[in-house]
């Protein structure tokens, strides 16, 4: 079944606010424009964050980034650097940043339902002095993503609480799930790629 979303689309902020309402002033004013000590502490304890980017034509990408806690290097109260470790060479985030520097970051600490959100302007850097400080097992990242921070704020725990993400008893049994390779090969087949063996 195909749905025409335009038939019930909301097309103005006025209409949206009539349905949802307006945020409390404290929610509006919780956003800061610096990386304060609380943000630095949160980032230093986060082994996982999500990087959101969009290309020049609006095509979006969200990439999970996992590393040891503190791998994101806070330069000062307005700038941080993300190490770009070697991967599959798709470079989805990097290519988007070349076209559109606006990025969003969402930092997660295992067991904690609150998340830290940071938005800003990104630049792909190759400054060896900075990259050497983010070495992993003696190897610096090939590139870094420098972010000039524009907004930082703590986000309420509702989504993570509702999802029971940290409650291992609610987790799906891995034996019932397809493996990465099964999904990967199925998607290759959809795209007409023949798989040997």
């Amino acid at each position: 079944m195909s749905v025409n979303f335009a038939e019930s689309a909301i097309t103005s902020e006025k209409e949206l606010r009539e349905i949802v309402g307006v945020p409390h002033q404290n929610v509006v004013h919780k956003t800061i424009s610096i990386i304060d000590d609380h943000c630095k502490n949160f980032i230093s304890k986060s082994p996982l964050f999500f990087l959101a980017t969009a290309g020049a034509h609006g095509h979006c990408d969200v990439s999970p980034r996992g590393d040891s806690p503190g791998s994101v290097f806070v330069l000062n109260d307005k700038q941080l650097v993300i190490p770009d470790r070697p991967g599959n060479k798709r470079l989805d985030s990097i290519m988007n940043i070349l076209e559109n520097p606006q990025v969003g970051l969402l930092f997660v600490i295992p067991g904690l339902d609150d998340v830290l959100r940071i938005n800003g302007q990104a630049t792909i850097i190759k400054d060896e002095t900075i990259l050497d400080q983010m070495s992993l097992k003696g190897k610096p990242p090939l590139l870094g993503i420098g972010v000039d921070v524009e907004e930082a704020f703590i986000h309420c725990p509702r989504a993570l609480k509702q999802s029971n993400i940290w409650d291992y008893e609610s987790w799906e049994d891995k034996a019932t799930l397809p493996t990465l390779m099964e999904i990967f090969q199925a998607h290759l087949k959809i795209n007409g790629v023949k798989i040997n063996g």
Side-chain angles (χ1 to χ4, degrees):
M1 178 180 76
S2 179
V3 175
N4 182 359
F5 290 123
E7 290 180 355
S8 62
I10 293 170
T11 58
S12 71
E13 183 178 351
K14 181 178 181 294
E15 186 180 4
L16 185 64
R17 291 298 178 192
E18 286 172 355
I19 296 170
V20 179
V22 295
H24 189 279
Q25 284 302 300
N26 289 351
V27 174
V28 174
H29 294 297
K30 72 178 180 177
T31 302
I32 60 176
S33 60
I34 61 170
I35 309 170
D36 72 345
D37 288 341
H38 292 295
C39 293
K40 289 175 188 173
N41 185 46
F42 200 107
I43 293 168
S44 74
K45 291 175 169 47
S46 174
L48 173 68
F49 68 95
F50 297 86
L51 171 63
T53 61
H57 301 291
H59 296 110
C60 299
D61 183 74
V62 178
S63 172
R65 300 291 176 115
D67 215 323
S68 57
S71 62
V72 173
F73 186 40
V74 177
L75 284 173
N76 52 58
D77 66 0
K78 291 291 288 184
Q79 295 177 308
L80 58 82
V81 180
I82 301 163
D84 194 64
R85 311 283 183 201
N88 61 15
K89 299 182 174 64
R90 279 182 57 107
L91 302 178
D92 295 318
S93 301
I94 299 289
M95 297 299 285
N96 278 348
I97 290 169
L98 289 176
E99 297 178 357
N100 173 7
Q102 286 295 147
V103 297
L105 307 170
L106 189 149
F107 290 91
V108 177
I109 297 175
L112 188 67
D113 290 329
D114 310 302
V115 298
L116 175 67
R117 291 171 58 180
I118 291 181
N119 299 317
Q121 297 263 343
T123 305
I124 310 305
I125 65 168
K126 56 181 180 179
D127 185 320
E128 291 181 4
T129 305
I130 294 174
L131 298 180
D132 284 345
Q133 297 180 64
M134 295 186 289
S135 292
L136 181 65
K137 297 180 181 178
K139 290 186 177 181
L142 298 175
L143 301 168
I145 301 171
V147 179
D148 289 297
V149 173
E150 296 172 337
E151 296 180 314
F153 56 97
I154 201 74
H155 194 94
C156 75
R158 185 178 183 278
L160 273 68
K161 276 186 175 178
Q162 291 291 101
S163 68
N164 291 319
I165 190 68
W166 307 125
D167 177 15
Y168 71 89
E169 291 183 357
S170 71
W171 295 352
E172 190 74 30
D173 181 359
K174 287 184 180 179
T176 67
L177 301 172
T179 67
L180 171 68
M181 190 54 66
E182 287 171 338
I183 298 171
F184 181 64
Q185 290 180 346
H187 290 182
L188 288 177
K189 187 176 179 182
I190 289 171
N191 285 325
V193 178
K194 291 185 178 180
I195 303 166
N196 296 327

